[in-house]
Amino acid sequence: MSQSVPTPAINSLFRRQVVEQATGESRSTIYRKIKSGLFTKPVQIGGERVAWPANEVQALINARIAGKSDNEIKLLVIELEEARKSAA
């Protein structure tokens, strides 16, 4: 009898251009939303390069589709960024 080894969950990182395509928003709008707490901050991936965890981008898109208010999305952003700390 062999035991199966659990496969770790893989969370892709999306570069800015992919985030723009996924959200339909421009670079300036994404960074404006980050400043106002309506979008998660990117993570450093080396040098000056940044990316966003795919699960966070999808969660924010789903919240918009569900009609969440800006205040609800701000709370979601806080939760997502706190989850990064606990995953590390």
Side-chain angles (χ1 to χ4, degrees):
M1 209 186 270
S2 70
Q3 285 186 316
S4 64
V5 177
T7 304
I10 296 175
N11 186 19
S12 299
L13 292 172
F14 288 166
R15 297 293 305 274
R16 182 183 45 82
Q17 296 86 350
V18 176
V19 175
E20 288 175 12
Q21 289 176 337
T23 62
E25 296 175 338
S26 68
R27 176 180 190 253
S28 58
T29 299
I30 291 167
Y31 281 98
R32 190 175 327 112
K33 284 186 170 190
I34 291 169
K35 194 170 186 174
S36 65
L38 292 169
F39 209 86
T40 56
K41 295 174 184 141
V43 295
Q44 294 290 326
I45 60 171
E48 293 183 13
R49 296 176 303 147
V50 298
W52 285 261
N55 68 310
E56 294 178 7
V57 175
Q58 190 60 58
L60 292 166
I61 291 169
N62 291 344
R64 284 288 175 200
I65 291 170
K68 302 286 184 181
S69 70
D70 282 354
N71 286 335
E72 290 171 312
I73 290 176
K74 286 180 181 183
L75 291 174
L76 175 60
V77 167
I78 292 167
E79 289 175 21
L80 292 170
E81 289 182 345
E82 285 296 318
R84 286 182 190 175
K85 295 174 188 173
S86 64

